[in-house]
Amino acid sequence: MTGLSAPLRPWAGFISITAVIGVVVAWGVGRGFDFTDEGVYYLSFTHPEEVSDFHTSYHLIGRRLFALVGQSIPATRLLIVALSTLGAAVFFHGLRRWETAATPDRPATSWFAAIGACTAAALGLAFASSPLAPSYNLLNAALLYSATGLILACAAEDAVSIASCRRFFGLAALTGLLLATDFFVKFSTSVPLTLSGGFFLAVTGRASWRRKLQLFALLGLVAALGAGVFFLKFQDFTAWKNGSSGLRTALVSSSFLNSYFGRYWSEFSNELIAMLWTYVPALNFAGIAAAALLVLRWWPRLQRWVAVAAGLVLVGTVVALALPEHVLRQTGPDRVGFYLAVLTLSALTLGVSTLVTRPPAPGESHPFHWRTLLLAGWLLLLPFLGAVGTTNDIAANLFYQFAPWFVVIALCLRGIDRRWESHRAIWVVVAVICTVAVAQFIHGFLDERYRIPGPLRSQTEATALGVPPSTLLLDPASHAFVDDARAQLIAHDFAPGDDIFAFFNFPGLVFAVGGVSPGHPWYFAGDQHSLELDASRVASVSPARRARAFVITNGDVTAFLPLLKTAGLDFPSAYIRCGEPLKNPLTGEIVEIWRPKTRP
């Protein structure tokens, strides 16, 4: 870090790991395409009028971002990575401001570098298993990081001088705008984030209560103005109200909330139990080491050397237990176990270190100072606030905003370092965490991209997707599939902008050929309730559009045919097949393209 100028030295870790992530992303940004989730994002951006439910309006924001870069998929991918990185940078900056103002003994530059490295390494985990697009999850994570960083920066201002007041209220205005935006992206995150952040700011903020009350008033005013601008520029209020009515009804249902939170607890507790089972030898060793250090309390020099040695053995034990679990290649929810183990052991080690060593010197911050504990508690909560509302495994969704947990680990390590003066030994733990996270990102991004057949290096064929077209490199099977599907449609008088019903799970193909999915962007196969919902969406389309729409079937749709007839679609009797069956390049299912007989 000596080669960097003083203002950049705290950012050394963040910049270094972000640079690694940037190089990998830049190489892969033009490769591969997911025809399910990623496909529905871009189909929603190009035809937002077909989105029938508004529990989230992320697609209206994503539409503007997509248009900003000329509807280029590679440029949009780079843009969402840049926005996510900016959000993480704001989070890190706010944390630095709060830490510097809140602790009497200012943290060393090297520890800021460690926290920055942890923040950047955690950022890569979101890109390891998610499509790079302005999606519901990535937009929400970027807004959460940014709003959290601004709240921390607000809490650091005393708002006494004119300059501090300007920063204080300026940051509040930006925070209100971000929280208002997040309300329309994911209100199940925005509301608890606003409440918890407001509480944190009220309790830990350095400004007077008069200034804080003025700040809350300004924040509310800006949030209200932001919502007004949204309804004027992005979406009609009545349309939003009607489209979100079903979700609002569900949220006041105790059975709905109990089922969701019960499932979340079950999913996370399963990961917790699996972690304890895997890492129980490390936990046992930590208990034995704690007893030994307590006995050696009256021999401080020997105690310190035993503590450092035990710490290194503990790190080695965790690594030895993690490697057979293929921790460097994990990309699913199971990877949370390693980080839970590190977090648990870091917190336990800090507690034991505080118990068996000298008390803090006068003027030195205590690792269990109430402000630090409150910060750690809020940081531990933030990934859950970002994940609440997901229909997926909550353990997997945590990784979209996982940096706060890494920061808590780094804060624990800083407290341990101050007890044992073992700076270099503690950096070993930081290096292990960052190495594992970066390895998981690289493996996930390059070799196990979400719903893309094969690794990115197998994506070699230039393929035009969408109208106007974006050129991406796809694997040979996907390239041939898109070209054959487009050829069949064009041979039967299809033109970009025509309607296509895709049954099921193929919104990306509709986008790729320039079609429109009437009634809803994604017709999703599932249980009987799902099929009935799909049928109701088909029925909502005007008879004239239904009569002219092409149909693409992906897999067996036999169970859906009676519901289609009741919805006004006489399929397959009133249709002719456009060509030979194709094969879904990801699942191997049979794909058929059909044209209505009555279509002129």
Side-chain angles (χ1 to χ4, degrees):
M1 290 187 296
T2 56
L4 292 174
S5 62
L8 288 179
R9 286 175 189 169
W11 289 85
F14 186 90
I15 293 171
S16 300
I17 292 185
T18 301
V20 173
I21 292 172
V23 169
V24 176
V25 167
W27 181 84
V29 76
R31 297 172 182 265
F33 186 75
D34 160 35
F35 287 93
T36 56
D37 292 65
E38 188 174 19
V40 81
Y41 299 149
Y42 289 106
L43 190 58
S44 300
F45 299 160
T46 52
H47 300 287
E49 70 279 1
E50 302 300 338
V51 179
S52 56
D53 52 3
F54 298 129
H55 64 278
T56 171
S57 298
Y58 82 93
H59 60 288
L60 300 177
I61 298 170
R63 172 181 172 82
R64 299 296 180 94
L65 297 175
F66 191 38
L68 181 66
V69 293
Q71 296 193 358
S72 164
I73 293 176
T76 305
R77 290 173 171 176
L78 287 175
L79 179 60
I80 192 60
V81 170
L83 291 175
S84 299
T85 305
L86 177 62
V90 172
F91 169 74
F92 174 54
H93 174 72
L95 185 66
R96 282 185 58 222
R97 293 278 301 153
W98 187 90
E99 275 281 302
T100 302
T103 55
D105 52 326
R106 296 192 174 189
T109 296
S110 58
W111 274 109
F112 280 139
I115 292 175
C118 289
T119 300
L123 181 65
L125 295 174
F127 305 146
S129 57
S130 173
L132 291 185
S135 65
Y136 172 71
N137 289 312
L138 287 179
L139 282 175
N140 179 64
L143 290 165
L144 179 145
Y145 278 139
S146 300
T148 301
L150 293 177
I151 290 169
L152 288 166
C154 276
E157 296 292 340
D158 58 19
V160 174
S161 67
I162 294 176
S164 182
C165 279
R166 286 175 178 170
R167 289 192 299 268
F168 187 68
F169 292 114
L171 292 169
L174 286 174
T175 304
L177 185 61
L178 292 174
L179 292 173
T181 304
D182 199 31
F183 181 84
F184 295 103
V185 172
K186 193 174 184 182
F187 77 90
S188 59
T189 292
S190 176
V191 173
L193 177 61
T194 301
L195 295 175
S196 62
F199 174 78
F200 180 83
L201 178 57
V203 174
T204 70
R206 300 175 64 214
S208 66
W209 275 104
R210 177 171 169 267
R211 291 299 191 199
K212 290 176 185 176
L213 292 174
Q214 291 172 340
L215 178 141
F216 291 137
L218 176 62
L219 192 149
L221 176 62
V222 171
L225 289 174
V229 170
F230 182 87
F231 290 128
L232 286 173
K233 297 292 185 180
F234 287 85
Q235 187 173 37
D236 179 73
F237 174 76
T238 303
W240 173 82
K241 181 180 177 183
N242 293 338
S244 59
S245 60
L247 183 62
R248 294 198 308 273
T249 301
L251 287 174
V252 298
S253 166
S254 58
S255 60
F256 175 84
L257 294 176
N258 287 338
S259 66
Y260 254 69
F261 285 99
R263 179 173 65 82
Y264 291 158
W265 170 247
S266 174
E267 291 166 349
F268 187 74
S269 61
N270 287 340
E271 297 296 339
L272 183 61
I273 292 170
M275 180 276 289
L276 293 173
W277 183 258
T278 301
Y279 293 97
V280 67
L283 294 168
N284 288 337
F285 176 78
I288 294 170
L293 293 174
L294 187 60
V295 170
L296 293 173
R297 188 173 185 179
W298 287 272
W299 296 276
R301 179 170 294 185
L302 177 61
Q303 184 196 48
R304 178 181 178 276
W305 284 107
V306 170
V308 172
L312 292 174
V313 171
L314 183 60
V315 172
T317 303
V318 171
V319 172
L321 293 170
L323 288 177
E325 300 294 320
H326 305 290
V327 67
L328 299 180
R329 300 173 64 85
Q330 289 176 336
T331 58
D334 54 337
R335 57 185 162 155
V336 78
F338 171 77
Y339 301 111
L340 264 176
V342 175
L343 177 61
T344 301
L345 289 168
S346 298
L348 289 175
T349 303
L350 176 59
V352 169
S353 300
T354 305
L355 179 66
V356 303
T357 58
R358 63 172 179 79
E364 182 183 2
S365 62
H366 197 288
F368 295 113
H369 188 279
W370 68 269
R371 280 191 171 87
T372 305
L373 289 176
L374 193 60
L375 173 66
W378 191 39
L379 292 175
L380 289 174
L381 185 64
L382 285 175
F384 291 100
L385 297 187
V388 165
T390 182
T391 56
N392 298 319
D393 190 318
I394 194 169
N397 208 269
L398 295 176
F399 287 101
Y400 286 104
Q401 52 283 315
F402 207 59
W405 276 24
F406 275 31
V407 171
V408 173
I409 292 172
L411 291 174
C412 288
L413 295 176
R414 187 186 66 183
I416 296 167
D417 175 40
R418 287 177 173 176
R419 289 292 164 272
W420 299 108
E421 298 178 354
S422 53
H423 187 63
R424 292 181 180 178
I426 297 303
W427 262 97
V428 172
V429 182
V430 174
V432 168
I433 298 168
C434 293
T435 299
V436 170
V438 171
Q440 288 178 345
F441 156 69
I442 292 174
H443 174 71
F445 188 83
L446 297 182
D447 295 329
E448 292 189 18
R449 283 291 294 278
Y450 184 78
R451 291 181 178 172
I452 290 177
L456 285 194
R457 62 181 176 273
S458 69
Q459 314 293 311
T460 56
E461 304 299 316
T463 310
L465 302 178
V467 176
S470 279
T471 299
L472 296 176
L473 298 179
L474 304 187
D475 61 281
S478 296
H479 169 78
F481 173 78
V482 172
D483 279 0
D484 291 346
R486 184 183 285 118
Q488 286 192 17
L489 285 164
I490 292 174
H492 288 78
D493 301 321
F494 172 83
D498 284 351
D499 289 331
I500 301 174
F501 286 111
F503 308 126
F504 296 100
N505 303 331
F506 233 149
L509 180 57
V510 179
F511 168 78
V513 299
V516 180
S517 179
H520 199 64
W522 188 340
Y523 286 91
F524 192 88
D527 57 17
Q528 185 64 23
H529 174 72
S530 228
L531 296 178
E532 290 172 357
L533 181 59
D534 284 336
S536 71
R537 287 166 171 164
V538 172
S540 71
V541 178
S542 68
R545 290 185 69 184
R546 280 202 307 266
R548 288 182 50 81
F550 287 79
V551 171
I552 295 177
T553 59
N554 178 37
D556 184 9
V557 298
T558 305
F560 192 46
L561 298 183
L563 290 172
L564 273 183
K565 289 188 184 296
T566 62
L569 207 66
D570 187 15
F571 179 83
S573 302
Y575 291 77
I576 57 172
R577 202 171 65 188
C578 295
E580 292 299 314
L582 306 174
K583 183 181 285 188
N584 186 316
L586 179 65
T587 66
E589 294 172 298
I590 296 300
V591 176
E592 296 179 320
I593 301 174
W594 301 77
R595 174 186 182 274
K597 294 177 180 178
T598 58
R599 184 181 173 94

